[in-house]
Amino acid sequence: MDTDKKLKGFYGMGRRKTAVAQVLLTDDPKSQTVNGKDFLAYFPTESLQKVCLRALTATSQLETFGVKAKIQGGGKSSQAEALTLAIARALLAHDEGFRKQLRKLGYLTRDDRMKERKKPGLKGARRAPQFSKR
C-alpha cells in the first residue's frame, strides 16, 4: 500500500504458495481494484472472482466494503486464494465477531503447501532418471 499517505480502512495480508496479497477494505463498495486495475479485469473468470470475494459474501459485507489490493507473485489461482485470506483478516480487524464464522469456513487458515524442491541426482523433486537393466 502507499506509505506516504495514510488511507482509512482495514488492512489484511494473506499468502498462498509464492503469492502475497495486501488488502485495504474501504468504505466505497463500488471500488474494487487489484494492482491498480479493475477487479473484473484482473480476475476475468467468474470462478476466480467468487474465490476472491467468498469471505465478504459469507459475512454479508460485499455491499459494505470496497477492496483495494496489491498482489505479487504466484499464479492467478494462488493470488485469488491469498486475497481471500487477506480479506478475511481485514474483516477481523473491522469486527472480531466474524472470527467464528470465518474459521468454520476455513478462510482464516493459511494453506502452507509449497512446491517441493528438486533433489540432487533426480530430474525433479521425486522423479528419478530412467532405469536401464542393460
Side-chain angles (χ1 to χ4, degrees):
M1 300 292 137
D2 298 325
T3 54
D4 54 347
K5 59 181 179 180
K6 186 71 175 161
L7 296 171
K8 289 199 174 192
F10 302 98
Y11 291 94
M13 189 174 87
R15 293 188 186 96
R16 169 76 171 102
K17 289 189 173 179
T18 58
V20 179
Q22 295 175 311
V23 75
L24 173 70
L25 294 182
T26 60
D27 295 336
D28 183 19
K30 290 183 176 53
S31 169
Q32 293 182 338
T33 59
V34 178
N35 291 349
K37 294 182 184 177
D38 182 50
F39 173 77
L40 299 176
Y42 194 84
F43 292 110
T45 62
E46 190 177 334
S47 60
L48 286 178
Q49 293 166 11
K50 284 183 179 179
V51 167
C52 292
L53 300 176
R54 60 188 176 186
L56 284 173
T57 53
T59 55
S60 304
Q61 300 297 310
L62 192 58
E63 302 298 321
T64 309
F65 292 112
V67 176
K68 182 178 180 183
K70 186 173 100 175
I71 308 178
Q72 296 172 328
K76 291 286 185 184
S77 180
S78 183
Q79 289 180 350
E81 291 185 23
L83 187 57
T84 298
L85 178 58
I87 290 173
R89 288 179 173 173
L91 283 170
L92 283 186
H94 164 64
D95 184 4
E96 197 65 33
F98 291 136
R99 180 175 294 278
K100 191 173 182 180
Q101 184 179 9
L102 292 171
R103 171 70 63 202
K104 185 178 178 186
L105 293 169
Y107 299 155
L108 292 178
T109 305
R110 193 240 196 254
D111 192 343
D112 62 348
R113 293 176 295 170
M114 301 288 281
K115 183 176 178 175
E116 193 173 337
R117 78 172 194 85
K118 183 193 174 300
K119 315 295 189 311
L122 300 180
K123 293 186 173 282
R126 298 182 183 204
R127 168 83 168 100
Q130 187 173 11
F131 174 75
S132 174
K133 233 176 207 182
R134 296 174 232 313

mmCIF file of all heavy atoms in Angstrom, residues 44-73:
data_model
loop_
_atom_site.group_PDB
_atom_site.id
_atom_site.type_symbol
_atom_site.label_atom_id
_atom_site.label_comp_id
_atom_site.label_asym_id
_atom_site.label_seq_id
_atom_site.Cartn_x
_atom_site.Cartn_y
_atom_site.Cartn_z
ATOM 1 N N PRO A 44 -10.505 -12.367 -14.654
ATOM 2 C CA PRO A 44 -11.552 -12.399 -15.670
ATOM 3 C C PRO A 44 -12.567 -13.532 -15.508
ATOM 4 O O PRO A 44 -13.711 -13.388 -15.928
ATOM 5 C CB PRO A 44 -10.780 -12.548 -16.980
ATOM 6 C CG PRO A 44 -9.478 -13.143 -16.597
ATOM 7 C CD PRO A 44 -9.196 -12.692 -15.197
ATOM 8 N N THR A 45 -12.186 -14.648 -14.900
ATOM 9 C CA THR A 45 -13.125 -15.766 -14.797
ATOM 10 C C THR A 45 -14.008 -15.615 -13.557
ATOM 11 O O THR A 45 -13.560 -15.142 -12.512
ATOM 12 C CB THR A 45 -12.390 -17.117 -14.733
ATOM 13 O OG1 THR A 45 -11.569 -17.151 -13.570
ATOM 14 C CG2 THR A 45 -11.533 -17.328 -15.967
ATOM 15 N N GLU A 46 -15.230 -16.060 -13.694
ATOM 16 C CA GLU A 46 -16.197 -15.940 -12.604
ATOM 17 C C GLU A 46 -15.792 -16.782 -11.396
ATOM 18 O O GLU A 46 -16.012 -16.383 -10.253
ATOM 19 C CB GLU A 46 -17.583 -16.367 -13.099
ATOM 20 C CG GLU A 46 -18.691 -16.051 -12.120
ATOM 21 C CD GLU A 46 -20.055 -16.417 -12.666
ATOM 22 O OE1 GLU A 46 -20.235 -16.441 -13.898
ATOM 23 O OE2 GLU A 46 -20.952 -16.683 -11.842
ATOM 24 N N SER A 47 -15.169 -17.932 -11.649
ATOM 25 C CA SER A 47 -14.768 -18.802 -10.530
ATOM 26 C C SER A 47 -13.693 -18.130 -9.668
ATOM 27 O O SER A 47 -13.747 -18.206 -8.435
ATOM 28 C CB SER A 47 -14.267 -20.142 -11.054
ATOM 29 O OG SER A 47 -13.149 -19.962 -11.893
ATOM 30 N N LEU A 48 -12.718 -17.457 -10.296
ATOM 31 C CA LEU A 48 -11.693 -16.752 -9.530
ATOM 32 C C LEU A 48 -12.282 -15.565 -8.766
ATOM 33 O O LEU A 48 -11.870 -15.269 -7.646
ATOM 34 C CB LEU A 48 -10.573 -16.264 -10.446
ATOM 35 C CG LEU A 48 -9.606 -17.320 -10.962
ATOM 36 C CD1 LEU A 48 -8.575 -16.709 -11.884
ATOM 37 C CD2 LEU A 48 -8.925 -18.038 -9.820
ATOM 38 N N GLN A 49 -13.258 -14.893 -9.366
ATOM 39 C CA GLN A 49 -13.909 -13.774 -8.691
ATOM 40 C C GLN A 49 -14.640 -14.247 -7.441
ATOM 41 O O GLN A 49 -14.591 -13.604 -6.397
ATOM 42 C CB GLN A 49 -14.885 -13.080 -9.641
ATOM 43 C CG GLN A 49 -14.218 -12.381 -10.811
ATOM 44 C CD GLN A 49 -15.194 -12.011 -11.903
ATOM 45 O OE1 GLN A 49 -16.400 -12.083 -11.731
ATOM 46 N NE2 GLN A 49 -14.658 -11.617 -13.055
ATOM 47 N N LYS A 50 -15.297 -15.403 -7.549
ATOM 48 C CA LYS A 50 -16.010 -15.956 -6.392
ATOM 49 C C LYS A 50 -15.033 -16.349 -5.286
ATOM 50 O O LYS A 50 -15.304 -16.137 -4.112
ATOM 51 C CB LYS A 50 -16.844 -17.166 -6.805
ATOM 52 C CG LYS A 50 -18.105 -16.806 -7.535
ATOM 53 C CD LYS A 50 -18.913 -18.041 -7.846
ATOM 54 C CE LYS A 50 -20.191 -17.675 -8.566
ATOM 55 N NZ LYS A 50 -21.001 -18.852 -8.903
ATOM 56 N N VAL A 51 -13.890 -16.943 -5.681
ATOM 57 C CA VAL A 51 -12.884 -17.346 -4.695
ATOM 58 C C VAL A 51 -12.372 -16.117 -3.936
ATOM 59 O O VAL A 51 -12.238 -16.146 -2.712
ATOM 60 C CB VAL A 51 -11.713 -18.095 -5.378
ATOM 61 C CG1 VAL A 51 -10.528 -18.238 -4.448
ATOM 62 C CG2 VAL A 51 -12.173 -19.452 -5.845
ATOM 63 N N CYS A 52 -12.109 -15.045 -4.661
ATOM 64 C CA CYS A 52 -11.574 -13.830 -4.037
ATOM 65 C C CYS A 52 -12.536 -13.228 -3.022
ATOM 66 O O CYS A 52 -12.126 -12.805 -1.942
ATOM 67 C CB CYS A 52 -11.281 -12.773 -5.095
ATOM 68 S SG CYS A 52 -9.928 -13.185 -6.174
ATOM 69 N N LEU A 53 -13.798 -13.172 -3.364
ATOM 70 C CA LEU A 53 -14.774 -12.438 -2.548
ATOM 71 C C LEU A 53 -15.586 -13.323 -1.617
ATOM 72 O O LEU A 53 -16.542 -12.852 -1.005
ATOM 73 C CB LEU A 53 -15.711 -11.650 -3.472
ATOM 74 C CG LEU A 53 -15.036 -10.621 -4.379
ATOM 75 C CD1 LEU A 53 -16.051 -9.979 -5.300
ATOM 76 C CD2 LEU A 53 -14.309 -9.577 -3.571
ATOM 77 N N ARG A 54 -15.211 -14.602 -1.469
ATOM 78 C CA ARG A 54 -16.045 -15.501 -0.669
ATOM 79 C C ARG A 54 -16.081 -15.124 0.810
ATOM 80 O O ARG A 54 -17.073 -15.370 1.481
ATOM 81 C CB ARG A 54 -15.630 -16.951 -0.866
ATOM 82 C CG ARG A 54 -14.225 -17.292 -0.496
ATOM 83 C CD ARG A 54 -13.883 -18.699 -0.915
ATOM 84 N NE ARG A 54 -12.472 -18.957 -0.628
ATOM 85 C CZ ARG A 54 -11.840 -20.039 -0.981
ATOM 86 N NH1 ARG A 54 -12.480 -20.978 -1.652
ATOM 87 N NH2 ARG A 54 -10.584 -20.206 -0.690
ATOM 88 N N ALA A 55 -15.026 -14.506 1.339
ATOM 89 C CA ALA A 55 -15.053 -14.075 2.742
ATOM 90 C C ALA A 55 -16.041 -12.919 2.924
ATOM 91 O O ALA A 55 -16.746 -12.852 3.933
ATOM 92 C CB ALA A 55 -13.661 -13.657 3.198
ATOM 93 N N LEU A 56 -16.093 -12.030 1.941
ATOM 94 C CA LEU A 56 -17.044 -10.905 2.016
ATOM 95 C C LEU A 56 -18.482 -11.385 1.852
ATOM 96 O O LEU A 56 -19.382 -10.906 2.548
ATOM 97 C CB LEU A 56 -16.726 -9.857 0.944
ATOM 98 C CG LEU A 56 -15.531 -8.947 1.207
ATOM 99 C CD1 LEU A 56 -15.239 -8.093 -0.019
ATOM 100 C CD2 LEU A 56 -15.780 -8.068 2.405
ATOM 101 N N THR A 57 -18.709 -12.329 0.947
ATOM 102 C CA THR A 57 -20.080 -12.812 0.743
ATOM 103 C C THR A 57 -20.554 -13.656 1.922
ATOM 104 O O THR A 57 -21.728 -13.605 2.279
ATOM 105 C CB THR A 57 -20.187 -13.631 -0.563
ATOM 106 O OG1 THR A 57 -19.204 -14.662 -0.557
ATOM 107 C CG2 THR A 57 -19.998 -12.761 -1.787
ATOM 108 N N ALA A 58 -19.646 -14.422 2.534
ATOM 109 C CA ALA A 58 -20.030 -15.260 3.675
ATOM 110 C C ALA A 58 -20.461 -14.421 4.876
ATOM 111 O O ALA A 58 -21.333 -14.814 5.640
ATOM 112 C CB ALA A 58 -18.875 -16.170 4.070
ATOM 113 N N THR A 59 -19.850 -13.246 5.030
ATOM 114 C CA THR A 59 -20.181 -12.368 6.158
ATOM 115 C C THR A 59 -21.170 -11.271 5.762
ATOM 116 O O THR A 59 -21.436 -10.371 6.555
ATOM 117 C CB THR A 59 -18.905 -11.710 6.720
ATOM 118 O OG1 THR A 59 -18.233 -11.032 5.668
ATOM 119 C CG2 THR A 59 -17.997 -12.750 7.339
ATOM 120 N N SER A 60 -21.692 -11.327 4.554
ATOM 121 C CA SER A 60 -22.659 -10.348 4.027
ATOM 122 C C SER A 60 -22.120 -8.922 4.056
ATOM 123 O O SER A 60 -22.853 -7.975 4.319
ATOM 124 C CB SER A 60 -23.978 -10.419 4.811
ATOM 125 O OG SER A 60 -24.494 -11.718 4.781
ATOM 126 N N GLN A 61 -20.830 -8.762 3.765
ATOM 127 C CA GLN A 61 -20.197 -7.442 3.772
ATOM 128 C C GLN A 61 -19.829 -6.967 2.363
ATOM 129 O O GLN A 61 -19.144 -5.958 2.222
ATOM 130 C CB GLN A 61 -18.928 -7.481 4.639
ATOM 131 C CG GLN A 61 -19.172 -7.843 6.072
ATOM 132 C CD GLN A 61 -20.034 -6.824 6.782
ATOM 133 O OE1 GLN A 61 -19.771 -5.621 6.733
ATOM 134 N NE2 GLN A 61 -21.089 -7.290 7.419
ATOM 135 N N LEU A 62 -20.292 -7.681 1.330
ATOM 136 C CA LEU A 62 -19.946 -7.331 -0.053
ATOM 137 C C LEU A 62 -20.473 -5.954 -0.427
ATOM 138 O O LEU A 62 -19.830 -5.211 -1.168
ATOM 139 C CB LEU A 62 -20.486 -8.398 -1.012
ATOM 140 C CG LEU A 62 -20.002 -8.357 -2.446
ATOM 141 C CD1 LEU A 62 -18.486 -8.470 -2.512
ATOM 142 C CD2 LEU A 62 -20.626 -9.472 -3.250
ATOM 143 N N GLU A 63 -21.643 -5.593 0.100
ATOM 144 C CA GLU A 63 -22.248 -4.290 -0.204
ATOM 145 C C GLU A 63 -21.737 -3.193 0.737
ATOM 146 O O GLU A 63 -22.108 -2.033 0.580
ATOM 147 C CB GLU A 63 -23.773 -4.389 -0.098
ATOM 148 C CG GLU A 63 -24.394 -5.436 -1.005
ATOM 149 C CD GLU A 63 -24.149 -5.165 -2.482
ATOM 150 O OE1 GLU A 63 -24.199 -3.982 -2.891
ATOM 151 O OE2 GLU A 63 -23.900 -6.121 -3.227
ATOM 152 N N THR A 64 -20.921 -3.557 1.721
ATOM 153 C CA THR A 64 -20.440 -2.592 2.716
ATOM 154 C C THR A 64 -19.046 -2.079 2.391
ATOM 155 O O THR A 64 -18.766 -0.894 2.580
ATOM 156 C CB THR A 64 -20.408 -3.257 4.116
ATOM 157 O OG1 THR A 64 -21.663 -3.867 4.356
ATOM 158 C CG2 THR A 64 -20.122 -2.237 5.189
ATOM 159 N N PHE A 65 -18.163 -2.964 1.907
ATOM 160 C CA PHE A 65 -16.764 -2.608 1.712
ATOM 161 C C PHE A 65 -16.341 -2.685 0.255
ATOM 162 O O PHE A 65 -16.811 -3.522 -0.501
ATOM 163 C CB PHE A 65 -15.857 -3.554 2.511
ATOM 164 C CG PHE A 65 -15.958 -3.399 3.988
ATOM 165 C CD1 PHE A 65 -16.505 -4.398 4.762
ATOM 166 C CD2 PHE A 65 -15.504 -2.251 4.614
ATOM 167 C CE1 PHE A 65 -16.592 -4.268 6.129
ATOM 168 C CE2 PHE A 65 -15.590 -2.095 5.980
ATOM 169 C CZ PHE A 65 -16.139 -3.109 6.739
ATOM 170 N N GLY A 66 -15.397 -1.807 -0.092
ATOM 171 C CA GLY A 66 -14.691 -1.888 -1.353
ATOM 172 C C GLY A 66 -13.332 -2.500 -1.087
ATOM 173 O O GLY A 66 -12.842 -2.497 0.043
ATOM 174 N N VAL A 67 -12.684 -3.019 -2.129
ATOM 175 C CA VAL A 67 -11.410 -3.708 -1.971
ATOM 176 C C VAL A 67 -10.350 -3.003 -2.796
ATOM 177 O O VAL A 67 -10.534 -2.757 -3.987
ATOM 178 C CB VAL A 67 -11.528 -5.187 -2.425
ATOM 179 C CG1 VAL A 67 -10.194 -5.881 -2.361
ATOM 180 C CG2 VAL A 67 -12.562 -5.918 -1.589
ATOM 181 N N LYS A 68 -9.236 -2.668 -2.139
ATOM 182 C CA LYS A 68 -8.065 -2.159 -2.850
ATOM 183 C C LYS A 68 -6.928 -3.096 -2.499
ATOM 184 O O LYS A 68 -6.504 -3.170 -1.339
ATOM 185 C CB LYS A 68 -7.734 -0.734 -2.423
ATOM 186 C CG LYS A 68 -6.564 -0.159 -3.162
ATOM 187 C CD LYS A 68 -6.274 1.260 -2.775
ATOM 188 C CE LYS A 68 -5.066 1.736 -3.580
ATOM 189 N NZ LYS A 68 -4.670 3.065 -3.221
ATOM 190 N N ALA A 69 -6.431 -3.866 -3.484
ATOM 191 C CA ALA A 69 -5.449 -4.913 -3.204
ATOM 192 C C ALA A 69 -4.190 -4.733 -4.031
ATOM 193 O O ALA A 69 -4.211 -4.208 -5.143
ATOM 194 C CB ALA A 69 -6.056 -6.282 -3.494
ATOM 195 N N LYS A 70 -3.090 -5.201 -3.443
ATOM 196 C CA LYS A 70 -1.805 -5.270 -4.136
ATOM 197 C C LYS A 70 -1.333 -6.710 -4.006
ATOM 198 O O LYS A 70 -1.193 -7.224 -2.893
ATOM 199 C CB LYS A 70 -0.804 -4.313 -3.500
ATOM 200 C CG LYS A 70 0.511 -4.228 -4.247
ATOM 201 C CD LYS A 70 1.376 -3.145 -3.666
ATOM 202 C CE LYS A 70 2.403 -3.797 -2.760
ATOM 203 N NZ LYS A 70 3.375 -2.863 -2.217
ATOM 204 N N ILE A 71 -1.123 -7.384 -5.143
ATOM 205 C CA ILE A 71 -0.754 -8.798 -5.131
ATOM 206 C C ILE A 71 0.532 -8.992 -5.920
ATOM 207 O O ILE A 71 0.692 -8.435 -7.007
ATOM 208 C CB ILE A 71 -1.865 -9.684 -5.738
ATOM 209 C CG1 ILE A 71 -3.202 -9.391 -5.076
ATOM 210 C CG2 ILE A 71 -1.524 -11.143 -5.598
ATOM 211 C CD1 ILE A 71 -4.348 -10.166 -5.638
ATOM 212 N N GLN A 72 1.438 -9.796 -5.357
ATOM 213 C CA GLN A 72 2.699 -10.098 -6.036
ATOM 214 C C GLN A 72 2.930 -11.599 -6.023
ATOM 215 O O GLN A 72 2.561 -12.275 -5.068
ATOM 216 C CB GLN A 72 3.875 -9.422 -5.323
ATOM 217 C CG GLN A 72 3.815 -7.921 -5.339
ATOM 218 C CD GLN A 72 4.884 -7.310 -4.458
ATOM 219 O OE1 GLN A 72 5.250 -7.885 -3.447
ATOM 220 N NE2 GLN A 72 5.370 -6.152 -4.855
ATOM 221 N N GLY A 73 3.570 -12.111 -7.074
ATOM 222 C CA GLY A 73 4.000 -13.499 -7.136
ATOM 223 C C GLY A 73 2.878 -14.483 -7.403
ATOM 224 O O GLY A 73 1.705 -14.152 -7.348
#
